Structure formats: structure tokens, C-alpha cells
Amino acid sequence: MDWAVRICEPYIGVEEIEAVVRVLRSGWLAHGPLVEEFEEEFAKLVGTRYAVAVTSGTAALELMLRAAGIGEGDEVIVPAFTFIATANTVLAVGARPVFADIELEYYTLDPESVLERITPRTKAIIAVHLYGHPADMKTLREIAEDHNLLLFEDAAQAHGAETPEGPVGGLGYAAAFSFYATKNITTGEGGMITTNVEEVAEKARLLRNHCQAEKYLHVCLGLNYRMTSIQAALGLVQLRRLRRLNEARRRNAELLSKLLAGTPLILPRERPGYRHVYHQYVVRVDPEKTGITRDELAERLRRRGIQTAVHYPRPIPDQPLYRSLGYPSSSRIAPNSLKASRQVLSLPVHPRLRRRDVELVAAEVKRALSGEV
Ligand SMILES: Cc1ncc(COP(=O)(O)O)c(C=O)c1O
């Protein structure tokens, strides 16, 4: 389909192309010094002592959990409303994801719900900074400290987001970022673990490279999760652009919110003192207020060439995988997650949009809401 406005487009400039071509010409394509440089620069961004680059955000989550010693018999509290990788990586390390509900205002973990899920087997919490908005890390940190739990961050969608306690990625025991093509900065595929804990960083470095302590000496079970120099070259340039890219997202979000104020849509909010980086600009369509469903609105916009997306249409406990594992449905354990999954709609907010694109999106949303089909 030929969209008038697309939901996401990576921002790739001449500098990225030249950086990648330089790597290709150098002949050093696999893991090398550029990856270390990327790690150092990324650690500076989040203010941690260590950063470990890997092949994807999923790999970052998995290795972060393994490196922290999470495994068989452990329970890890995760939001019921997130991308599947947050929960699946808990399963992948042999532990049990336990689903807590979200706060509908911010779509992040509800600390009250987290408290209700704690058992003697609980070892950790993974807070997800969904859509680029940080979770309530202050309250979650207090809960983690009170109950002797590790607090992890899934910051896959939140590069550069900030809280009064500092940037995301350095607020817990360890964090995982993604550089997938749609993210605020990209390396095509890629991920990063950030932490202040030396043992976690060291273990993650071992695990990503077949646990090779010395040449062909393998001290534990590891596989290949190494980032390439091509990815790192791309990432270094993107990292230098991050502030400007996030500012563009925030500008677009601000304009959307201004133009959509007064409509019956529930617009995204920013917790006081926090900095949202709008990986997604997500509105909620409550049919009792709008008179149409989320899917009807999306369909009307599609017909006018405005691409939208639903992040995410099904809470994790309702995925066939989790039903087959015997998890109760979200209607019983996470009603806000179920409501969000039925009502959220992501509108285009990416940095390549021009002012008139944002104005067009808002105008078409209003037209669709006014009943024009
Ligand atoms: C919240 C969240 N966690 C984890 C991931 C996994 O990252 P990746 O796609 O790089 O494996 C993503 C991205 O897709 C995500 O949005």
C-alpha cells in the first residue's frame, strides 16, 4: 500500500552509510574495536559503568537474566502488557514469568499489582519502559529493596528516556536495550545490556561468546550473541543523533496532543519529572466516548493512507503459548492490560515526519472520529 504517512521509518543519513561502507572496506566485519567503542559511548548515555553489545534486544534480556543468575525455580514479575520478549526470555532461562497488571495512565507496571504477585520464590521484577515512557522506578525500587528482589529494566523502547533519578538503563540491577529497525536508534538488529555490576557485565561478555575465557577454553555454556562491527558503526552514528531524534519525536508528540486535545481520545501522558521519548505515540479509543472502536478508527485511517499500529492486541497471558502453559486469562489477573490491548492505537510520531504530516494525521483522526467513513 502507498501510505501518505507511515507508522515508522528509520532515520538513516549519509553518515550512517559512509560509516558502514568504511567497515565493509576495512575487511573487519565481525566483532571488533568498534563494538567496544559503541559500548563505551552507550554506557556514557545511560550513566552506567558497563555496557555489553549483543545481537538483539531479546538476546540482551536473556543474557541479562542469565548473567544475574536467574533460572530454574525462580519467579520473575513482568507486566502482562508488553512485547512478548519480556516474558519469553524469562521462560528461556528456565524461570517462571508472573504477570502483574499495568497502570492505564502510563501503560507501565502497577506497583500495587507487583506487590500482590510477590511469593517466596520471587527473585526479580522486570520493569518495561513501554512506548518510551519510564516505569515508576522509584516505587518499584522501594518494593525491590523491601523484598530483596533484583529490579531489571526492559528499556528496548526507551533510549534516552529520563526519570528524576536519572536516565533509564542505569536505574536497576541491569537493563536491556534493542536496536531493532523501528526503535529510536537502530543497528538493523542489535541489543545492549547496561549495568553497574561488574560480575553481571563479565558474565554477559562470557555468555555472548561461547563462554570462552581464553582461546578455545570454554568455562560454561554460552552461545554466539556477538554484535558485528557493521552494526556498531551504524550504532555509533545513530547514538550521536539520538538527542535530536528524540527531540523530533517529542515535538511531533506535542503537536499531535495539541491538535487532538478536545477529541474524545485518551491522549498519552508524561509522569511529572519524567522524559517520555515517544517510541510510540499511543492514544486510547474508548468506544463509550468515541462511538467507534479502535479497529474502526484504524480502518478509517487506513483508507485515507494513514498507517497506524496496535502495540499490542493481546496481553501476554492470553497468548496461545501461555494458555498452553496453564496461565489464567488476563481478564482475571490483569484487567487494565486487557482494556489497553482492546483500546490502544499507535499514531505516526517518528522523526522523519514533517509538520504537515503530523497535521494531516491529526486532521484525519478528527475526520474519522466525526463519523466520516
Ligand atoms: C519491550 C520490548 N522488549 C524486548 C524487545 C526485543 O527486542 P528485539 O526485537 O531487538 O529482540 C522489544 C522489541 O522488539 C520490545 O519492544
Side-chain angles (χ1 to χ4, degrees):
M1 172 143 182
D2 217 4
W3 297 105
V5 186
R6 298 180 66 93
I7 183 73
C8 60
E9 282 177 53
Y11 191 103
I12 299 294
V14 196
E15 294 87 342
E16 279 85 347
I17 293 167
E18 285 174 352
V20 167
V21 170
R22 267 199 302 280
V23 176
L24 295 177
R25 291 222 163 96
S26 77
W28 196 333
L29 307 188
H31 200 91
L34 271 180
V35 177
E36 279 159 36
E37 197 182 324
F38 185 35
E39 290 174 339
E40 278 164 29
E41 292 302 316
F42 201 83
K44 278 187 209 156
L45 169 82
V46 302
T48 52
R49 288 171 64 199
Y50 309 100
V52 182
V54 292
T55 43
S56 69
T58 306
L61 281 168
E62 184 190 340
L63 294 198
M64 168 185 90
L65 294 171
R66 278 194 203 287
I70 303 294
E72 199 110 348
D74 296 338
E75 290 181 359
V76 179
I77 298 175
V78 300
F81 188 67
T82 174
F83 180 63
I84 192 85
T86 318
N88 277 4
T89 48
V90 175
L91 281 182
V93 304
R96 178 178 170 81
V98 172
F99 297 105
D101 209 356
I102 55 160
E103 296 182 287
L104 268 180
E105 292 81 4
Y106 305 108
Y107 307 107
T108 53
L109 263 183
D110 175 1
E112 289 294 318
S113 178
V114 169
L115 276 173
E116 287 166 13
R117 299 291 182 272
I118 295 173
T119 75
R121 287 177 299 282
T122 310
K123 281 282 152 44
I125 303 166
I126 306 181
V128 182
H129 307 312
L130 201 69
Y131 307 145
H133 188 286
D136 181 357
M137 291 302 287
K138 188 166 179 282
T139 313
L140 291 171
R141 196 141 70 177
E142 283 162 13
I143 294 175
E145 278 167 14
D146 287 351
H147 294 82
N148 202 19
L149 308 175
L150 300 178
L151 177 60
F152 295 107
E153 296 171 83
D154 179 340
Q157 304 186 356
H159 323 69
E162 285 172 29
T163 74
E165 288 80 41
V168 304
L171 302 170
Y173 191 67
F177 288 85
S178 162
F179 304 118
Y180 179 65
T182 58
K183 297 297 193 282
N184 289 35
I185 54 172
T186 183
T187 61
E189 296 273 7
M192 190 77 80
I193 300 163
T194 54
T195 184
N196 284 314
V197 184
E198 191 179 0
E199 307 86 78
V200 171
E202 269 178 16
K203 188 74 194 272
R205 282 182 210 287
L206 267 180
L207 288 167
R208 80 170 165 193
N209 189 27
H210 294 292
C211 281
Q212 182 171 258
E214 289 168 27
K215 186 89 177 160
Y216 300 131
L217 179 72
H218 305 280
V219 294
C220 53
L221 175 62
L223 297 170
N224 175 1
Y225 297 90
R226 296 184 305 261
M227 179 178 268
T228 66
S229 296
I230 304 170
Q231 290 166 301
L234 199 45
L236 275 164
V237 182
Q238 288 266 294
L239 198 51
R240 288 199 286 276
R241 287 194 199 283
L242 177 62
R243 183 152 272 282
R244 301 261 309 269
L245 293 176
N246 280 347
E247 276 165 13
R249 285 178 184 274
R250 285 179 60 82
R251 219 172 21 250
N252 293 340
E254 201 181 322
L255 183 56
L256 277 171
S257 288
K258 192 173 126 208
L259 297 172
L260 294 176
T263 67
L265 293 176
I266 301 160
L267 303 180
R269 291 175 52 183
E270 196 174 40
R271 204 185 291 276
Y274 282 55
R275 184 179 163 84
H276 196 325
V277 290
Y278 291 99
H279 171 59
Q280 300 295 347
Y281 181 93
V282 176
V283 298
R284 201 142 54 76
V285 187
D286 179 348
E288 285 182 13
K289 299 198 176 94
T290 55
I292 59 170
T293 64
R294 182 265 316 277
D295 292 343
E296 281 163 344
L297 176 59
E299 175 54 20
R300 288 179 192 182
L301 290 170
R302 190 191 66 78
R303 284 200 220 120
R304 288 169 192 156
I306 310 293
Q307 190 181 23
T308 61
V310 175
H311 303 103
Y312 299 91
R314 207 184 265 257
I316 310 290
D318 301 340
Q319 291 289 349
L321 166 65
Y322 287 87
R323 299 319 281 276
S324 73
L325 294 173
Y327 278 83
S329 72
S330 64
S331 60
R332 280 180 47 209
I333 56 168
N336 286 348
S337 299
L338 181 60
K339 190 166 187 177
S341 72
R342 288 177 174 163
Q343 297 187 341
V344 290
L345 186 66
S346 305
L347 303 178
V349 74
H350 62 81
R352 295 195 80 97
L353 297 177
R354 295 154 301 181
R355 188 182 170 94
R356 66 183 142 100
D357 296 321
V358 179
E359 285 168 350
L360 178 67
V361 171
E364 292 295 3
V365 168
K366 284 180 174 168
R367 232 173 93 184
L369 287 172
S370 75
E372 277 187 56
V373 182

